[in-house]
Amino acid sequence: MNLLIVSTVDFNKHGIPVSIMNNYRLFNHNDIHCTFVTYGSIDEEFKKEILQNGDEVFLLPHRKKRTLRYIRELRKIAKSLNYDIAHVHGNSSTMLFELLALKGLVTVVCQAHNTDCVHSMLHKVLYPLFIKEVNHRVACTYEAGTFLYQNHTFKVLKNGISAGDYKFSNDVRKKIRDNMKVSDKFVILHVGSFNEQKNHEYLIDIFKMYHDKNPKSQLWLVGEGATKDKVKNLTKKYEIEEFVNFIGRTNEVAKYMMAADCFVLPSLYESFGIVNVEAQATGLPCVVSTSVPDAAKVSEYFYKVSLNDVKRWVETIELCQKIAIQRKISYLDIFRHGFDVSQTSEELINYYKSLWGTV
C-alpha cells in the first residue's frame, strides 16, 4: 500500500505529528510505503526515523500564505506515485486545499483533530465547498468530528500512546526530583505549546493563587512557542518567577510526568489532548478545563473545572494533594480504554484496508 500522509501543521513534537508518528511506528514498513508532506518545518528526529524506514518527506510552501503554489506542488507529488490513500490531518475546512490538490488522483481521508481553529473566518468561508468535497470523514474524538463535519457522519479513530513507556518508576521520579531540587515540593505540571489555545496566562493566575496558599509548590512548563516570553514576563510581574520552571522542549515528557504531583490543562479548546492520557498513564491526577472531552478520562482522578472559576481550580489542585494513587498500575487504564498504540494503529490499518478493498 502506498500511503500519502499530509499534516496541515508543522511536523514537530506536538499534537497532530506526535499522534501520527505513534501509529506510524507500528506499521509494517515492508507492506506500507509512506510519503509525508508538511510545511514550515519537521523535527529532525522524526525526519531521520522516517527516512531510515525507507519512506519520504516533503516540505512544501506555506499552505495559507502561498496557497496556489502549495496546491500545485502537492498535486505534483501525488502524480509522482500511484498512491492508494491520502490521509490529511487538520483542524478546519482549510483541508479543502488538499482535497482540491488531490482530486481525481487518490482516495482522500480527512481527519479532524480539534474543536476550534485559529482562522475561524476562513474556516466558515471555505466550509460549504469543503463539506461538499470530503467523502471519507474521520476524527480523533466525537467532539472534533462534530465541530468539523457538523451533522454529517464520520468515524472516530482514537489517538494512541505506547502505554508501557509511561509505566510509573519511583527511581525515575526520585532522579528527576533530585536533579530539579524539589524533593519536598508539590509539583504542578503543564505540557503544551505556548499559544493562545493552551491558555498559559490563566494558568499563571491559577498558580499565583495556589502558591500564595501553598508556598512549597512549583510549576513546571514543558513546551515552546510564540507566547513564552509573555508568560515569563507575567511570572516576573507576579514575583513568582523563581517558582516557575520553563523546561522547554524535551524528549523525556514521561519522566517529568512521573516526577510531578498534578497535571493541569486549562485549554480554551481541545478535541482530546493526548497529554491527558499520557499523564494519567503515569498516575498523575489531572485538572483540566471543561473544553476537554470526557473521552480523555481514563482514570477516576480526572477533574474538569470551568475557566470561569479560578478559585475552584485552586481547590481542586489542593484536593489532588490528598489523593493516594497506586501509580505503578495506572498505565493499565490505557489498555482498558483502547488508547494503547497497538490498538489504535491496528484500527487505523484496518480502516485503510477497508477503503483499499482488501478487507
Side-chain angles (χ1 to χ4, degrees):
M1 181 190 298
N2 289 322
L3 178 62
L4 182 62
I5 300 173
V6 183
S7 173
T8 62
V9 299
D10 65 85
F11 211 80
N12 291 298
K13 290 181 178 176
H14 58 89
I16 291 176
V18 168
S19 66
I20 292 172
M21 292 300 292
N22 283 350
N23 283 322
Y24 168 76
R25 292 188 180 103
L26 268 70
F27 288 179
N28 183 329
H29 299 291
N30 292 321
D31 293 339
I32 303 177
H33 171 74
C34 297
T35 299
F36 287 77
V37 174
T38 187
Y39 77 94
S41 61
I42 181 170
D43 179 83
E44 284 301 316
E45 292 183 8
F46 282 171
K47 183 177 180 180
K48 182 179 179 181
E49 183 178 352
I50 292 165
L51 296 178
Q52 284 179 339
N53 287 325
D55 292 327
E56 300 172 290
V57 176
F58 291 93
L59 285 177
L60 299 191
H62 198 288
R63 60 191 293 275
K64 290 175 185 161
K65 294 179 181 178
R66 307 177 71 181
T67 305
L68 291 179
R69 185 176 174 187
Y70 171 85
I71 290 174
R72 285 197 300 268
E73 294 198 16
L74 178 56
R75 190 166 184 83
K76 183 179 178 180
I77 292 168
K79 286 182 176 180
S80 67
L81 187 65
N82 184 26
Y83 290 102
D84 300 295
I85 296 169
H87 192 159
V88 181
H89 298 262
N91 297 316
S92 73
S93 61
T94 62
M95 284 189 282
L96 175 66
F97 303 153
E98 286 73 25
L99 288 168
L100 294 176
L102 301 171
K103 189 172 184 177
L105 300 177
V106 60
T107 298
V108 182
V109 176
C110 285
Q111 181 158 358
H113 284 269
N114 223 323
T115 55
D116 206 340
C117 58
V118 176
H119 303 284
S120 57
M121 186 58 68
L122 183 59
H123 168 71
K124 291 177 182 178
V125 170
L126 296 179
Y127 190 81
L129 282 174
F130 166 77
I131 204 63
K132 180 180 178 181
E133 292 291 332
V134 61
N135 293 318
H136 301 288
R137 300 176 290 268
V138 299
C140 65
T141 63
Y142 172 79
E143 289 82 357
T146 302
F147 166 73
L148 186 58
Y149 308 120
Q150 296 181 16
N151 60 340
H152 297 268
T153 58
F154 58 89
K155 179 177 179 61
V156 172
L157 292 173
K158 295 177 181 177
N159 291 335
I161 67 169
S162 180
D165 293 343
Y166 294 85
K167 183 179 180 180
F168 178 78
S169 166
N170 199 55
D171 290 339
V172 170
R173 174 179 170 84
K174 185 177 185 305
K175 182 178 179 180
I176 295 292
R177 290 179 71 89
D178 286 347
N179 289 342
M180 300 290 283
K181 296 179 172 59
V182 294
S183 59
D184 63 339
K185 301 292 193 301
F186 184 81
V187 176
I188 300 168
L189 175 70
H190 177 273
V191 179
S193 299
F194 282 82
N195 56 37
E196 181 182 352
Q197 175 188 353
K198 299 302 180 182
N199 206 14
H200 284 85
E201 292 174 69
Y202 187 80
L203 174 56
I204 298 302
D205 288 341
I206 294 169
F207 181 69
K208 172 65 166 64
M209 185 179 294
Y210 178 84
H211 188 266
D212 286 346
K213 296 177 65 179
N214 304 273
K216 295 186 74 171
S217 59
Q218 280 201 7
L219 174 64
W220 293 355
L221 302 175
V222 174
E224 295 288 347
T227 64
K228 184 175 180 179
D229 288 342
K230 188 176 182 181
V231 175
K232 278 188 172 182
N233 290 335
L234 188 58
T235 66
K236 293 176 183 177
K237 176 183 176 182
Y238 287 166
E239 298 181 345
I240 57 172
E241 65 267 32
E242 65 180 293
F243 309 111
V244 181
N245 196 309
F246 291 81
I247 293 170
R249 190 175 288 119
T250 176
N251 292 326
E252 299 186 325
V253 171
K255 292 182 179 180
Y256 284 101
M257 288 179 169
M258 292 177 200
D261 300 297
C262 179
F263 181 78
V264 291
L265 193 74
S267 301
L268 295 174
Y269 54 91
E270 286 283 354
S271 67
F272 184 65
I274 194 69
V275 289
N276 290 304
V277 174
E278 293 170 348
Q280 289 171 92
T282 67
L284 276 179
C286 297
V287 186
V288 306
S289 69
T290 51
S291 69
V292 175
D294 291 338
K297 179 178 180 177
V298 297
S299 79
E300 60 182 298
Y301 309 109
F302 188 82
Y303 307 98
K304 296 173 71 171
V305 183
S306 169
L307 291 174
N308 295 325
D309 192 348
V310 177
K311 184 179 178 182
R312 182 61 178 161
W313 279 82
V314 173
E315 292 171 347
T316 306
I317 294 171
E318 288 177 326
L319 172 65
C320 292
Q321 286 184 266
K322 304 172 184 177
I323 296 172
I325 303 174
Q326 296 184 39
R327 295 186 66 171
K328 285 185 178 297
I329 63 171
S330 296
Y331 78 106
L332 295 176
D333 289 329
I334 308 307
F335 292 95
R336 284 193 285 268
H337 286 80
F339 287 114
D340 185 73
V341 71
S342 64
Q343 300 162 302
T344 61
S345 63
E346 181 179 8
E347 185 177 12
L348 175 61
I349 291 169
N350 286 337
Y351 176 69
Y352 288 154
K353 289 180 178 178
S354 71
L355 295 180
W356 198 29
T358 59
V359 170

